[in-house]
Amino acid sequence: MERFQLYVVVVILGYFAILTVPAVLRYPLAFTEEFSEALVNTVVLSTISTLITLPLALVLAQGSLRSPGRTLAPLVTATVSVPHTAIGVLLAPLVFGAGLVDTPAAIVIAMTIVSLPIGFTALRSALVSLGTGYFEFLAGMGVTGWRVIPIAIRSIRSAVVISAILSWFRAFSELGAVLILARRPTTIGVYIFENFLAWGAAPVVGGSVALLALAVAVGFLIERLTGVARGK
Amino acid sequence: MLEVSDFLVRAYGIEIRVDELVVRGKTALLGRNGSGKTTFVKAVVGILRNERGRVIVDGVDVTDLPTERRPIAYLPQERVVLPFRPAEQLRYFARLHGTDFRWVVENLGLDGLLAKSGLSGGERQLLNIATALLKGPKVLILDEPTQALDFPNKVMVLRTLRRLDVPTVFVTHDPLEAYYLCDELVVMESGRIKGPVRNEMREWAEEALENTLKLYTDMIGVEV
């Protein structure tokens, strides 16, 4: 192994060790029944959110390749750079007004708003990589607007899968907006946050490590899908 | 027949002015990189908006029609790889245009291509040309269709194009290809078209191309 590659390995493992080792050494890896319930809630609501996000992201990504969609694209991605508590505050009048506080619907709305930019960006990059000629050829052949989408989906299959995975995980990991709009049913982020405030880190380290392990597995899956790990 | 007249388009930092271009057979549009060839044909196809001028196909003014409704088939410069198997691609677009794809396959001699899955660059271009023909175009515009193809693949595409009986604008910066394929040549420089001139070099080009191909056949056993 070259010295530079050794350096990279040390930094990556060091990064991960800082995140996990002190917590694992200090606290027991225990799981509670409430944790499992919160996990199930979050999985179900994230899945519903992704089912809404993905088609929306596809349509927006396709529409954003040409004006006026191209000009308006920053409106979709802007929420990435805003603290998600601010997103929660901005959604509050809608959610409160519709009587959706502390409902699954409020959580799905929050999850969808924050995951849409992620799904959109992944799909848009993939569509751009097809090249303008791809769409010009289709246009010349009479395939425009909505009709492009089923063909383009087939061309960017792995990006669609990645977009779905990233959107799902973004929804799954959402805390800020959910905290403001709906603490019940309890999602995993809210569960960890509330338990930490009440009891400290001990009861939630086990769950947090499990979530991280899941995220790592997905990270490797995405690497495999994109071909980065194989040097493509 | 394609007629472009009093044409003005400004895009990508270049201004194209074409007083008149009439395409009856196969016309090569030659020119250096950045001379405006692609910008011009994109405007003729309707992908870019022209500020002035008319595009007339077989006597019908198509200037105000969107790209998809113009009776013009266009193969862009970039390599287009659609997510279909060859037969599936032809079937899809044949259904879209209410036609049968078998006549295209027979006319272009593409039977061998249909069952293949991994196509060479040249085969991919032939498939896209065949696809474009399914639209039943009155004019074919090919923007450097042999770009990035190796020599045998290039010859395969050029030979097939010679069989087509559709008025064609063939954009290239390779005079040999233009001489081999086209009846007339025009040259674009800084957004202005010079010509047309009749192609009187076809025999020379055929000989040059076939001789070069023979070299390939003799030396590395490539058959086209």
Side-chain angles (χ1 to χ4, degrees):
Chain A
M1 196 185 294
E2 284 176 31
R3 188 183 289 262
F4 175 70
Q5 287 170 316
L6 187 65
Y7 170 79
V8 171
V9 169
V10 168
V11 170
I12 291 174
L13 292 180
Y15 165 82
F16 203 72
I18 287 169
L19 194 58
T20 55
V21 172
V24 170
L25 290 178
R26 184 161 174 191
Y27 298 108
L29 294 179
F31 299 93
T32 63
E33 200 173 310
E34 290 80 11
F35 177 85
S36 305
E37 278 173 26
L39 187 62
V40 171
N41 287 342
T42 318
V43 166
V44 170
L45 295 173
S46 303
T47 305
I48 294 169
S49 165
T50 305
L51 291 174
I52 299 167
T53 301
L54 198 60
L56 258 178
L58 254 172
V59 171
L60 291 176
Q62 168 62 22
S64 73
L65 299 180
R66 299 176 64 182
S67 289
R70 184 165 45 197
T71 318
L72 297 176
L75 294 179
V76 181
T77 52
T79 50
V80 171
S81 47
V82 176
H84 287 180
T85 40
I87 303 293
V89 168
L90 291 171
L91 286 173
L94 171 75
V95 171
F96 290 17
L100 296 175
V101 182
D102 284 343
T103 63
I107 297 172
V108 169
I109 290 170
M111 285 175 163
T112 305
I113 292 284
V114 299
S115 59
L116 186 62
I118 307 293
F120 168 79
T121 306
L123 290 172
R124 191 175 194 230
S125 307
L127 289 172
V128 167
S129 73
L130 291 176
T132 52
Y134 181 95
F135 298 101
E136 288 168 359
F137 181 69
L138 286 178
M141 289 305 298
V143 181
T144 55
W146 298 96
R147 292 163 91 171
V148 176
I149 292 176
I151 297 177
I153 286 176
R154 288 180 61 170
S155 287
I156 57 164
R157 257 176 298 204
S158 59
V160 173
V161 175
I162 289 163
S163 172
I165 292 172
L166 291 175
S167 300
W168 190 89
F169 268 89
R170 186 62 202 86
F172 183 84
S173 63
E174 177 51 21
L175 172 64
V178 171
L179 210 50
I180 286 174
L181 301 174
R183 291 193 176 202
R184 297 294 176 270
T186 312
T187 52
I188 203 74
V190 172
Y191 172 83
I192 291 171
F193 181 72
E194 287 181 339
N195 274 269
F196 176 76
L197 288 185
W199 315 105
V204 285
V205 161
S208 302
V209 169
L211 294 176
L212 189 59
L214 177 65
V216 167
V218 172
F220 279 111
L221 176 67
I222 290 175
E223 287 282 302
R224 199 175 164 74
L225 284 172
T226 55
V228 174
R230 286 168 285 155
K232 277 190 180 173
Chain B
M1 182 170 77
L2 170 72
E3 297 166 86
V4 181
S5 59
D6 191 26
F7 206 69
L8 169 66
V9 57
R10 291 190 185 96
Y12 311 131
I14 189 164
E15 182 186 275
I16 313 287
R17 282 178 188 273
V18 174
D19 295 331
E20 187 178 51
L21 175 69
V22 178
V23 176
R24 291 187 184 84
K26 291 190 177 70
T27 298
L29 175 55
L30 285 151
R32 294 187 296 177
N33 293 334
S35 59
K37 306 184 296 292
T38 295
T39 307
F40 173 62
V41 293
K42 279 189 178 185
V44 171
V45 172
I47 291 164
L48 296 175
R49 279 248 159 262
N50 54 310
E51 292 180 24
R52 205 178 65 208
R54 311 311 298 171
V55 178
I56 293 167
V57 177
D58 281 0
V60 177
D61 190 338
V62 301
T63 316
D64 299 322
L65 295 179
T67 304
E68 60 270 22
R69 291 185 51 208
R70 295 188 186 197
I72 301 173
Y74 170 61
L75 201 63
Q77 202 175 53
E78 295 96 330
R79 188 164 162 255
V80 175
V81 182
L82 297 179
F84 300 107
R85 290 192 190 88
E88 191 188 1
Q89 179 166 327
L90 294 176
R91 203 173 296 121
Y92 176 88
F93 286 99
R95 203 181 314 124
L96 188 70
H97 293 286
T99 182
D100 188 345
F101 70 84
R102 275 169 293 198
W103 67 270
V104 173
V105 173
E106 281 163 21
N107 273 12
L108 300 189
L110 301 181
D111 302 85
L113 217 76
L114 294 188
K116 280 193 168 183
S117 52
L119 300 184
S120 71
E123 289 169 332
R124 173 68 58 190
Q125 282 299 58
L126 287 184
L127 176 65
N128 288 343
I129 290 165
T131 303
L133 291 172
L134 292 172
K135 191 182 176 183
K138 299 209 163 84
V139 175
L140 192 57
I141 297 185
L142 307 169
D143 192 353
E144 300 192 29
T146 56
Q147 179 185 250
L149 296 185
D150 60 36
F151 190 74
N153 270 301
K154 192 177 281 202
V155 174
M156 178 171 66
V157 171
L158 291 173
R159 279 179 176 170
T160 308
L161 288 175
R162 274 178 71 155
R163 275 189 242 154
L164 296 181
D165 190 23
V166 181
T168 302
V169 178
F170 182 77
V171 180
T172 180
H173 46 221
D174 182 346
L176 180 62
E177 287 183 6
Y179 290 141
Y180 180 80
L181 182 68
C182 297
D183 313 304
E184 289 186 329
L185 296 89
V186 296
V187 178
M188 180 163 269
E189 181 60 29
S190 303
R192 308 292 188 275
I193 276 185
K194 309 275 169 54
V197 292
R198 278 190 57 75
N199 176 15
E200 289 171 358
M201 305 281 279
R202 180 168 275 171
E203 280 181 28
W204 170 81
E206 281 170 356
E207 200 181 324
L209 218 74
E210 297 304 332
N211 283 344
T212 313
L213 192 63
K214 192 170 179 302
L215 267 179
Y216 268 80
T217 313
D218 292 348
M219 291 170 74
I220 56 173
V222 174
E223 291 286 348
V224 178

